[in-house]
Amino acid sequence: MATFILIPGGWQGGWVYQRVAEILIAHGHKAAPVTLSGLGDVPAPTANLETHIGEVVHAVGSLGDDLVLVGQSYGGMLVSGAADAAPSQIRALVYVDAYVPDTGDSVWSLTTRRFRDLFIAGAKADGLTCAPPASMDPRCRPHPIGTFLQSISLGGRWREVPRKTFIGAFGWEGSPFLDLHRRLSSEPEWSTFAFDCGHNVARLKPEALAEILLAQV
């Protein structure tokens, strides 16, 4: 039995993984969807990337061994950050249309101008949080802007995790992850998959995503 720590992307809470979690539990595993500081009912406008990585590291420490870390979009930053802190507890990393940073990278540095402009426009109200795009689920919350701006510090230990998977979603325009998918597809330590769907894979392809996750154990 494995435990899947499910990390959402920007503006979203653990609710985005509801169907995926149900499938994993039905197969006898544990699922731990994470709602990060500021993305639930309590605002946390000063949270930064280090804050969110610390929350995932805490989850890793409390859930034991035989863990699979799964991160969508922004959540890829936290997958790498938490795995760098505790690689021995983790059996697999899964990046779901997500950022895969090197040390010194940030969401801001890795993304495209389209998303930088979106972050700037979304932060106009208070300068601390970025409002969710109007097209997103009404459960979405303003995202602490510092988590997009702060650079990550990695020692490279996350690469010790034996299984690393990247899932690209190719059914939406303006993706900042297409070149990353191509690059990782040529690296022998990575497994890559491509879905013909929009960015929100956990909501759009829960069964297909769960099938890949189950293959990690």
Side-chain angles (χ1 to χ4, degrees):
M1 181 178 67
T3 300
F4 294 84
I5 299 177
L6 306 171
I7 307 165
W11 302 285
Q12 300 175 108
W15 49 264
V16 75
Y17 285 106
Q18 180 177 348
R19 179 59 185 146
V20 175
E22 290 170 353
I23 296 169
L24 298 175
I25 292 168
H27 281 78
H29 301 288
K30 294 181 179 180
V34 176
T35 296
L36 300 159
S37 289
L39 283 308
D41 294 332
V42 180
T46 60
N48 58 18
L49 181 62
E50 187 176 356
T51 306
H52 283 175
I53 289 173
E55 290 169 4
V56 179
V57 170
H58 177 76
V60 168
S62 65
L63 291 170
D65 298 323
D66 207 16
L67 304 176
V68 179
L69 264 59
V70 183
Q72 160 84 22
S73 192
Y74 162 72
M77 304 291 292
L78 312 186
V79 167
S80 293
D84 206 59
S88 63
Q89 294 177 247
I90 303 164
R91 72 152 61 206
L93 309 176
V94 182
Y95 297 80
V96 186
D97 219 30
Y99 300 100
V100 180
D102 289 320
T103 194
D105 287 336
S106 64
V107 170
W108 181 269
S109 71
L110 291 174
T111 200
T112 60
R113 180 170 180 174
R114 170 189 174 184
F115 283 95
R116 293 187 194 110
D117 289 346
L118 185 151
F119 297 159
I120 292 169
K124 284 183 177 178
D126 62 12
L128 296 173
T129 60
C130 178
S135 60
M136 295 189 74
D137 189 288
R139 290 173 288 183
C140 289
R141 296 290 181 267
H143 195 106
I145 195 68
T147 66
F148 292 153
L149 301 179
Q150 187 180 22
S151 297
I152 194 168
S153 179
L154 298 170
R157 296 183 68 212
W158 69 275
R159 297 184 182 275
E160 299 171 13
V161 177
R163 305 188 70 172
K164 292 178 279 292
T165 297
F166 187 91
I167 300 168
F170 282 70
W172 61 292
E173 294 184 7
S175 171
F177 306 113
L178 302 183
D179 288 342
L180 176 60
H181 183 275
R182 283 191 286 269
R183 175 170 62 81
L184 295 179
S185 294
S186 67
E187 297 189 9
E189 68 269 29
W190 285 84
S191 298
T192 57
F193 298 86
F195 289 168
D196 184 16
C197 70
H199 181 48
N200 201 337
V201 176
R203 297 288 299 279
L204 297 171
K205 294 281 188 179
E207 292 82 7
L209 175 56
E211 183 178 354
I212 292 173
L213 299 185
L214 290 168
Q216 307 306 309
V217 298

